[in-house]
Amino acid sequence: MKSAVETLNPTRVRLTVEVPFEELKDSLDAAYKKINQQVTVKGFRKGKVPARVIDQRFGRGAVLEEAVNDALPRFYTDAVNDAELDPLGQPEVDITELKDGETLNFTAEVDIRPAIEIPDYSGIEVEVDAVQVGDEDIDESVEQLRERFASTSPVERAAEDGDVVTVDLQAKVDGEVLEDGVAEGVSYTIGSGELLDGIDDAVKGLEAGGEATFTSELKGGTAAGREAEVTVKVTQVASRELPELDDEFAQLASEFDTLEELRADSRKRLENMKQYDQATQAQERVLEKLLELVEVPVPEKLLKDEIETRKHNLEHHQLGQMGLNLEQYLEIQGKTPEEFDAETEEAAVKGIKTQFVLDELVKREKLNVSQEELTEHLMRRAASSGMSPDQFAQAVVQNNQVPLLVGEVARGKALAVVVEAATVKDTNGEIVDLDDDEDEVAAAESAAEVVAEATESEETPEQTEA
């Protein structure tokens, strides 16, 4: 077999392959054997029909077609390996010549992973938010904890701000009650903003048994984004009583004996959270700077497929679970279809470039993924998906998505290498040493999550299960 490569553009090649006929022998034998098992010829036992009889009765062309279909993938793979190509997707194959007993010639056009030069990235500098935890942050954290331990007691008076009301709701659009627009026994804290716009003003001043009607834009369901006439009936009013902020509260709400110890712990937790956010911010901004440094041609077909996959996952998974279609989603977001298409293409381009650049770094830095790293990533992905680790792992294996997770971890390690070499300063001008915040495995895992968010377009295990 002889093959030659013609570069059509930086991301697409045409292979020209010439195969001597004798190299088709194994496939021809297999074709005769397959046809033998499928046909019945009078005077011959099944599977024992001679080749010359098959040629006479069914035509040599049918045998050649079967043999070529069997052999083409093997010859194509050999040509790809000989040329040391990294193909993306399926090739477009064209048989240019087939002479019985002489030769098989064909061409195959396919997108390939482009050659990428990674420049020196040690000069990358990014700025991130400073880690600052003030007394007001601690006050807010303690107050949120205090809210969780609030008690309620029914009262016989009109509802006020901060009260917990139990309500029945009915939503109408164009005078018709929606199938999913009726709810009973809903508990709502006035002023929390957790239900519909306008409900606070509607229920304030109502006693148990009181009823009011207001207009609001629906946030979910079959009529999401549309104006609805909502009738609310209050069935109970209850006042909320917050516990006193003292040592007794600290003992009730935590493992600490004093309020001072509880506040100190709140400070530490908030600092850790902000340090994690700071590290994530550094990884995201370093990735953006890295992509700006590298020239990455994007294959047209790969980009088209990526855009379609992202749209499919949004419409059939994320929006489907929310009871929305794309038109309703765009209306809620205040975007035109053209703006949505442009944003989707921009995200797809970034995702492809991120994969190409970080995969090249993985190869250049000879980075491997350990079982510990893969397990840690799987556990985090399972937690964020709402699935148990066993369910998530089973979905990953059943849908052959282990390479997907391995790729995310490897790219995360590559990004962590770049972040380590970069200069990261906070908004106060201080150098941020991210090594103080995370060990090597945790840093790579954090970076893997950043990479997964940038590149994720395939159907994820949790989407597959849904």
Side-chain angles (χ1 to χ4, degrees), residues 313-325:
N313 287 344
L314 174 66
E315 290 187 66
H316 293 85
H317 295 297
Q318 299 169 31
L319 298 184
Q321 292 174 1
M322 295 162 57
L324 297 175
N325 58 34

Side-chain angles (χ1 to χ4, degrees), residues 200-246:
D200 287 342
D201 290 336
V203 297
K204 278 191 292 187
L206 295 181
E207 298 183 15
E211 189 174 296
T213 300
F214 63 100
T215 301
S216 182
E217 182 179 299
L218 299 179
K219 298 179 180 179
T222 56
R226 299 185 63 184
E227 289 287 324
E229 182 183 86
V230 182
T231 300
V232 56
K233 180 179 180 180
V234 176
T235 60
Q236 184 185 77
V237 179
S239 65
R240 299 176 74 249
E241 297 179 6
L242 297 174
E244 291 293 328
L245 280 178
D246 52 22

Side-chain angles (χ1 to χ4, degrees), residues 349-381:
V349 168
K350 181 181 178 181
I352 292 171
K353 287 184 174 183
T354 297
Q355 285 198 34
F356 285 174
V357 171
L358 295 181
D359 284 348
E360 183 64 28
L361 272 170
V362 168
K363 184 166 58 176
R364 193 174 88 172
E365 300 291 340
K366 297 181 173 58
L367 301 175
N368 297 310
V369 176
S370 69
Q371 186 61 49
E372 177 190 7
E373 291 164 337
L374 181 59
T375 300
E376 174 72 17
H377 188 58
L378 187 148
M379 297 283 282
R380 291 206 186 195
R381 287 290 299 271

Side-chain angles (χ1 to χ4, degrees), residues 77-340:
T77 300
D78 289 344
V80 165
N81 292 337
D82 289 345
E84 298 182 343
L85 299 176
D86 191 354
L88 301 167
Q90 296 300 314
E92 296 177 7
V93 177
D94 181 26
I95 298 174
T96 55
E97 187 176 22
L98 176 58
K99 289 186 177 179
D100 194 0
E102 294 183 29
T103 187
L104 163 66
N105 297 337
F106 68 92
T107 62
E109 287 191 19
V110 67
D111 287 332
I112 60 169
R113 188 179 291 263
I116 297 174
E117 291 294 328
I118 306 291
D120 180 18
Y121 49 77
S122 61
I124 290 178
E125 292 189 13
V126 296
E127 184 180 73
V128 296
D129 295 335
V131 173
Q132 295 175 328
V133 177
D135 289 341
E136 66 278 5
D137 297 315
I138 300 171
D139 291 342
E140 182 180 351
S141 175
V142 173
E143 189 63 25
Q144 288 174 351
L145 184 62
R146 188 184 179 205
E147 292 277 350
R148 287 168 49 193
F149 283 85
S151 60
T152 60
S153 56
V155 292
E156 294 183 3
R157 60 167 171 77
E160 302 172 353
D161 268 327
D163 284 344
V164 178
V165 290
T166 304
V167 298
D168 297 337
L169 297 165
Q170 183 186 80
K172 292 181 181 180
V173 172
D174 297 331
E176 297 290 330
V177 177
L178 299 171
E179 289 185 9
D180 56 353
V182 177
E184 296 180 348
V186 178
S187 181
Y188 174 66
T189 301
I190 300 176
S192 66
E194 294 173 351
L195 273 178
L196 298 167
D197 293 338
I199 192 171
D200 287 342
D201 290 336
V203 297
K204 278 191 292 187
L206 295 181
E207 298 183 15
E211 189 174 296
T213 300
F214 63 100
T215 301
S216 182
E217 182 179 299
L218 299 179
K219 298 179 180 179
T222 56
R226 299 185 63 184
E227 289 287 324
E229 182 183 86
V230 182
T231 300
V232 56
K233 180 179 180 180
V234 176
T235 60
Q236 184 185 77
V237 179
S239 65
R240 299 176 74 249
E241 297 179 6
L242 297 174
E244 291 293 328
L245 280 178
D246 52 22
D247 292 346
E248 186 176 339
F249 166 70
Q251 295 164 17
L252 170 69
S254 71
E255 70 272 28
F256 301 106
D257 293 327
T258 67
L259 183 61
E260 183 179 349
E261 290 174 331
L262 174 59
R263 290 179 62 86
D265 181 70
S266 295
R267 180 183 293 276
K268 183 177 179 181
R269 283 190 302 102
L270 289 172
E271 287 176 346
N272 288 339
M273 289 170 57
K274 294 203 173 195
Q275 285 171 348
Y276 181 85
D277 291 343
Q278 187 186 63
T280 301
Q281 194 177 62
Q283 291 155 356
E284 292 171 345
R285 294 182 179 178
V286 167
L287 176 59
E288 290 174 3
K289 290 280 189 180
L290 176 64
L291 295 180
E292 290 173 4
L293 290 177
V294 187
E295 186 68 30
V296 184
V298 176
E300 289 184 15
K301 186 176 185 305
L302 181 63
L303 176 58
K304 180 181 176 182
D305 292 344
E306 180 84 1
I307 291 171
E308 289 303 314
T309 300
R310 286 174 181 261
K311 286 184 177 179
H312 174 85
N313 287 344
L314 174 66
E315 290 187 66
H316 293 85
H317 295 297
Q318 299 169 31
L319 298 184
Q321 292 174 1
M322 295 162 57
L324 297 175
N325 58 34
L326 184 58
E327 184 179 352
Q328 293 168 330
Y329 169 74
L330 293 181
E331 186 176 345
I332 293 171
Q333 293 292 314
K335 296 177 183 176
T336 65
E338 292 75 20
E339 290 172 335
F340 170 73

